[in-house]
């Protein structure tokens, strides 16, 4: 009797043992393949100079997806139905996605910013009505440090869909300034004074050449346009210094810088009345 039982159970034990051995072997090989794929992915992305945040995100995504496929495959080998489990996970994913639409939009925006690199940490940008130096780019938001020492946090979903001005991308930048002089001023003398100031400034580039020209005949005076080129990091220093020097030199040369004024003509009959 016992012999009959052993004869019946032995094939099942052998079959189960072989199935377990094959599953363990499949698990071992699968883990090795996943680790190799992740290593190749990280190496490729790092050689492409992709941002560290993107590398870490894609590595985690590949790891999670590959492990999920491996586990489902192993369950299927043991005869466990995975269709219901996949359906349940899919439904849960949809429900979570609908409840976290804003967060997912910010997350997707963060991935786009990290991959496309419209700006990097350290750049001075203007976007969404704010401007400042980028101090941090996370997956959900970007933090700017404004000139008046405020931290501005912008959601990446909003930022990725907005117009972005990056003032730090190019090595040089044009400084746009202007000054008004009175209508009775000698424009040749005004131009000479401004050009002398620009020529003597060591931070102003010779190429492209600076522009000094009449820009507008305004209500109170003539607007002189001043446009020198500088290295990007010298922008504010040059602008503040040149404006101060222009004011002082025009004052020394007795060239009037007018303030808004209005000329009123009185009708003689109105005066008599």
């Amino acid at each position: 009797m016992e012999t009959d039982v052993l004869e019946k159970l032995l094939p099942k034990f052998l079959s189960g043992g072989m199935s377990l051995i094959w599953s363990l072997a499949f698990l071992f090989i699968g883990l090795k393949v996943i680790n190799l794929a992740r290593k190749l992915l990280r190496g490729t992305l790092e050689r492409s100079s992709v941002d560290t945040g993107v590398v870490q995100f894609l590595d985690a995504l590949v790891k999670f997806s590959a492990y999920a496929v491996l586990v489902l495959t192993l369950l299927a080998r043991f005869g466990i139905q995975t269709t219901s489990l996949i359906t349940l996970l899919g439904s849960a994913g949809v429900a979570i996605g609908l409840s976290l639409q804003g967060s997912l939009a910010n997350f997707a925006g963060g991935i786009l910013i990290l991959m496309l690199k419209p700006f990097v940490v350290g750049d001075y940008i203007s976007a969404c009505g704010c401007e400042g130096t980028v101090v941090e780019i996370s997956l959900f938001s970007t933090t700017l440090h404004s000139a008046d020492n405020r931290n501005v946090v912008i959601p990446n979903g909003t930022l990725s869909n907005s117009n972005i001005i990056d003032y730090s991308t190019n090595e040089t930048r044009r400084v746009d300034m202007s000054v008004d002089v009175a209508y009775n001023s000698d424009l040749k003398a005004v131009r000479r004074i401004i050009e002398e100031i620009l020529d003597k400034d060591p931070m102003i580039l010779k190429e492209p050449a600076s522009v000094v020209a009449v820009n507008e005949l305004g209500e109170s005076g003539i607007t002189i346009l001043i446009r020198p080129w500088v290295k990007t990091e010298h922008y504010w220093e040059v602008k503040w210094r040149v404006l101060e020097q222009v004011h002082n030199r025009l004052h020394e040369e007795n060239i009037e810088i007018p303030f808004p004024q209005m000329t009123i003509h009185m009708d003689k009959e109105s005066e008599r009345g």
Side-chain angles (χ1 to χ4, degrees):
M1 184 72 176
E2 293 180 356
T3 304
D4 294 338
V5 173
L6 289 175
E7 290 178 352
K8 291 180 180 179
L9 293 179
L10 184 60
K12 294 183 179 181
F13 279 119
L14 291 175
S15 176
M18 290 301 297
S19 178
L20 179 61
I21 292 173
W22 280 110
S23 297
L24 291 175
F26 183 82
L27 176 63
F28 177 79
I29 295 172
L31 292 175
K32 289 293 185 181
V33 170
I34 292 173
N35 290 333
L36 178 61
R38 290 174 59 199
K39 185 177 180 180
L40 292 174
L41 176 65
R42 287 196 301 268
T44 302
L45 293 176
E46 288 171 357
R47 285 193 297 272
S48 302
S49 300
V50 177
D51 191 86
T52 303
V54 178
V55 176
Q56 293 173 347
F57 168 75
L58 292 178
D59 179 53
L61 180 62
V62 170
K63 178 181 177 181
F64 174 80
S65 302
Y67 281 175
V69 172
L70 182 61
V71 169
L72 291 175
T73 304
L74 287 173
L75 292 176
R77 284 187 59 84
F78 284 101
I80 300 174
Q81 295 295 326
T82 58
T83 306
S84 300
L85 179 61
I86 294 174
T87 303
L88 179 63
L89 291 175
S91 300
V94 172
I96 294 172
L98 291 174
S99 63
L100 298 175
Q101 288 184 23
S103 298
L104 290 176
N106 292 331
F107 179 76
I111 296 301
L112 288 175
I113 291 172
L114 288 170
M115 294 185 66
L116 300 179
K117 290 185 177 181
F119 53 84
V120 296
V121 173
D123 284 0
Y124 190 92
I125 68 169
S126 174
C128 304
C130 305
E131 64 177 54
T133 302
V134 180
V135 294
E136 182 183 5
I137 305 173
S138 67
L139 287 177
F140 292 95
S141 64
T142 295
T143 303
L144 308 182
H145 193 178
S146 66
D148 56 351
N149 202 32
R150 293 181 298 169
N151 280 349
V152 182
V153 180
I154 305 176
N156 283 336
T158 303
L159 186 59
S160 63
N161 290 316
S162 302
N163 295 327
I164 302 171
I165 301 175
D166 191 339
Y167 296 102
S168 303
T169 300
N170 299 321
E171 293 182 0
T172 60
R173 186 176 170 189
R174 191 182 69 190
V175 185
D176 291 350
M177 299 172 284
S178 64
V179 62
D180 287 354
V181 297
Y183 272 98
N184 60 358
S185 301
D186 184 347
L187 295 183
K188 290 184 179 180
V190 173
R191 288 192 58 174
R192 174 181 54 78
I193 292 169
I194 296 175
E195 288 173 352
E196 287 178 358
I197 293 172
L198 299 181
D199 289 340
K200 292 179 181 179
D201 196 307
M203 291 186 179
I204 293 178
L205 304 176
K206 302 302 180 183
E207 292 292 336
S210 301
V211 173
V212 180
V214 174
N215 185 56
E216 184 180 359
L217 302 178
E219 295 180 356
S220 303
I222 301 173
T223 301
I224 306 298
L225 193 68
I226 309 171
R227 287 184 172 178
W229 286 83
V230 299
K231 290 185 177 180
T232 300
E233 61 267 25
H234 298 154
Y235 179 89
W236 291 110
E237 185 177 352
V238 169
K239 182 172 184 177
W240 296 332
R241 181 171 59 243
V242 168
L243 285 176
E244 181 178 354
Q245 291 178 355
V246 167
H247 172 271
N248 293 339
R249 284 292 305 279
L250 292 180
H251 180 71
E252 291 172 2
E253 299 290 338
N254 295 318
I255 296 175
E256 181 184 356
I257 300 177
F259 53 85
Q261 53 188 298
M262 181 182 297
T263 302
I264 300 176
H265 298 277
M266 299 293 294
D267 185 71
K268 293 183 179 180
E269 291 185 359
S270 298
E271 290 179 356
R272 293 172 184 173

